């Protein structure tokens, strides 16, 4: 008896939700919305906060909902909607989607390459199970969904310089494996169900904020250490060259790609390229600002092997052709901008001196 009542009430509830979403789609909501409500997962990570700033400047503060399992600062709480949500809890995510009539998801939660190798079950859960939850939700509510892929989706068998958009992908990390899975699952849902899935293979992202757990993090660490300590011990060999991108270019790429009309997009997954450099190149460029900066090298076996398996340069011809991708920062302007930003991060010359 109880069971039946409960079943009836669930189906009545589902009916209400269906009607609500039908009205929403008829009024121009959903994947093709021109003024979308966007849910960002992993919102307090390296890309999330800055991504929310950019999207809020385009669509309005209330239209972008940051979610994470971490505690936000007061300033983040004041800047716009924040909700606690674990990507491994699909019902919680679904509630946020329904309550806010979400149109687009930017799914940034992930365990990065180096951390993933230290805890493979965790990376599998977060990156694969999390992706399954997000894609099912996006399919059900007809949402546009962006999932970042990475240079890590390639492996030692892929051509390195340049690495084409369509080529051999045999990554040797759980992170890479999960990202290839995400790419293929997204393409499959696009062809099978018409899901508006979009993905970019991102280079290592260079920003003032630390990502945590990536192989390309050394570049960020190097700036912070140059400014606060005047020296740095690098965990990669001096000549290890991989593609990198300044965060502003990366976020603009995500925004422009998400905003591109469907008929401009020939693929669901694109390479984007910006600059490529090695630890030695970066140290030399930083020395133009801090001539006494000292860098020593003590390669870490896991991260060196990962970096050695990655591309040196991504071929992004197709992104440039189809939706007019073009980076604004070259190596010199990336370094110049990072030095300014990291100085601001560490606040004052007094603080720099005291930590030296
Ligand atoms: C990592 O190093 O794991 C990431 C990436 C290149 O995807 N920054």
């Amino acid at each position: 008896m109880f069971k039946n009542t409960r079943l009836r009430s669930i189906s009545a509830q589902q009916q209400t939700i269906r009607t609500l979403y039908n009205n929403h789609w008829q009024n121009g909501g959903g994947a093709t919305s021109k003024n979308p409500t966007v849910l960002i997962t992993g919102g307090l990570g390296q890309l999330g906060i800055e991504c929310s700033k950019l999207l809020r400047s385009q669509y309005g503060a209330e239209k972008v909902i940051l979610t994470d399992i971490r505690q936000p600062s007061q300033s983040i709480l004041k800047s716009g909607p924040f909700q606690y949500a674990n990507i491994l809890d699909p019902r919680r995510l679904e509630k946020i989607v329904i309550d806010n009539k979400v149109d687009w998801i930017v799914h940034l939660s992930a365990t990065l390459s180096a951390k993933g190798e230290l805890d493979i079950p965790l990376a599998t859960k977060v990156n694969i199970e999390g992706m399954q939850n997000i894609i099912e939700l996006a399919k059900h509510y007809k949402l546009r969904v962006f999932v970042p892929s990475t240079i890590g989706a390639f492996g030692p068998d892929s051509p390195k310089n340049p690495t084409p958009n369509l080529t051999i992908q045999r990554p040797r990390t759980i992170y890479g494996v999960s990202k290839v899975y995400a790419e293929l699952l997204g393409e499959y849902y696009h062809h099978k169900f018409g899901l508006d899935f979009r993905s970019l293979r991102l280079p290592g992202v260079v920003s003032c904020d630390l990502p945590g757990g990536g192989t390309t993090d050394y570049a960020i660490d190097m700036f912070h250490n140059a400014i606060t300590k005047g020296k740095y011990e690098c965990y990669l060999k001096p000549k290890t060259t991989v593609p990198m991108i300044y965060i502003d270019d990366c976020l603009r790429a995500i925004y422009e790609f998400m905003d591109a009309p469907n008929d401009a997009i020939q693929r669901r997954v694109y390479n984007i390229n910006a600059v490529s450099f090695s630890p030695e190149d970066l140290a030399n460029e930083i020395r133009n600002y801090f001539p006494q900066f000292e860098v020593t090298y003590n390669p870490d076996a896991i991260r060196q092997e990962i970096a050695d398996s990655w591309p040196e340069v991504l071929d992004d011809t197709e992104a440039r052709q189809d939706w007019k991708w073009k980076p604004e920062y070259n190596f010199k302007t990336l370094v110049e901008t990072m030095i300014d930003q990291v100085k601001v991060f560490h606040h004052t010359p007094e603080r720099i001196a005291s930590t030296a």
Side-chain angles (χ1 to χ4, degrees), residues 62-83:
E62 294 308 310
K63 303 280 285 182
V64 179
I65 305 155
L66 268 186
T67 67
D68 207 297
I69 50 173
R70 285 175 283 177
Q71 177 93 21
S73 65
Q74 282 306 314
S75 70
I76 286 168
L77 283 174
K78 276 192 208 132
S79 66
F82 176 89
Q83 302 244 2

Side-chain angles (χ1 to χ4, degrees), residues 16 18 22 55 59 73 89 96 107 119 142 144 153 173-174 195 232 234 253 260 264 266 293 325 332:
T16 314
R18 196 163 301 145
N22 278 340
L55 296 182
Y59 304 125
S73 65
D89 180 355
I96 298 174
H107 176 44
D119 193 342
K142 302 192 172 89
R144 179 170 297 177
T173 61
I174 186 62
L195 177 71
Y232 178 61
C234 184
Q266 307 299 318
F293 181 43
W325 157 245
K332 283 204 170 307

Side-chain angles (χ1 to χ4, degrees), residues 112-113 150-151 175 204 214-216 310:
L112 297 182
S113 57
T150 161
I151 49 173
Y175 174 60
T215 303
T216 56
W310 285 356

Side-chain angles (χ1 to χ4, degrees), residues 247-268:
I247 186 160
D248 287 10
D249 268 343
C250 171
L251 296 173
R252 190 172 48 77
I254 296 175
Y255 165 67
E256 288 175 4
F257 183 48
M258 278 300 267
D259 201 49
N262 260 306
D263 54 16
I265 295 177
Q266 307 299 318
R267 294 188 174 283
R268 293 288 131 186

Side-chain angles (χ1 to χ4, degrees), residues 2 29 42 49 56 78 159-160 174 192 228 272 278 282:
F2 169 73
I49 297 170
R56 282 174 179 159
K78 276 192 208 132
K160 264 180 147 2
I174 186 62
K192 180 108 182 158
T228 60
I272 58 162
S278 68
L282 185 57

Side-chain angles (χ1 to χ4, degrees), residues 40-163:
I40 302 180
T41 71
L44 301 183
Q46 186 196 12
L47 296 182
I49 297 170
E50 296 304 316
C51 184
S52 70
K53 285 186 196 159
L54 176 63
L55 296 182
R56 282 174 179 159
S57 72
Q58 301 298 321
Y59 304 125
E62 294 308 310
K63 303 280 285 182
V64 179
I65 305 155
L66 268 186
T67 67
D68 207 297
I69 50 173
R70 285 175 283 177
Q71 177 93 21
S73 65
Q74 282 306 314
S75 70
I76 286 168
L77 283 174
K78 276 192 208 132
S79 66
F82 176 89
Q83 302 244 2
Y84 174 89
N86 187 335
I87 49 153
L88 300 176
D89 180 355
R91 286 190 180 275
R92 172 82 186 125
L93 292 168
E94 186 173 21
K95 182 160 169 34
I96 298 174
V97 166
I98 294 165
D99 289 350
N100 298 280
K101 295 208 200 82
V102 166
D103 302 295
W104 296 0
I105 298 182
V106 176
H107 176 44
L108 300 179
S109 295
T111 299
L112 297 182
S113 57
K115 190 170 170 199
E117 291 312 285
L118 301 179
D119 193 342
I120 295 167
L122 175 75
T124 306
K125 251 187 144 20
V126 173
N127 296 1
I128 295 184
E129 200 180 311
M131 173 67 194
Q132 286 165 338
N133 291 338
I134 291 295
I135 206 158
E136 271 301 318
L137 196 58
K139 175 189 147 221
H140 194 85
Y141 292 99
K142 302 192 172 89
L143 313 179
R144 179 170 297 177
V145 62
F146 175 80
V147 181
S149 187
T150 161
I151 49 173
F154 298 104
D157 301 320
S158 314
K160 264 180 147 2
N161 188 351
T163 307

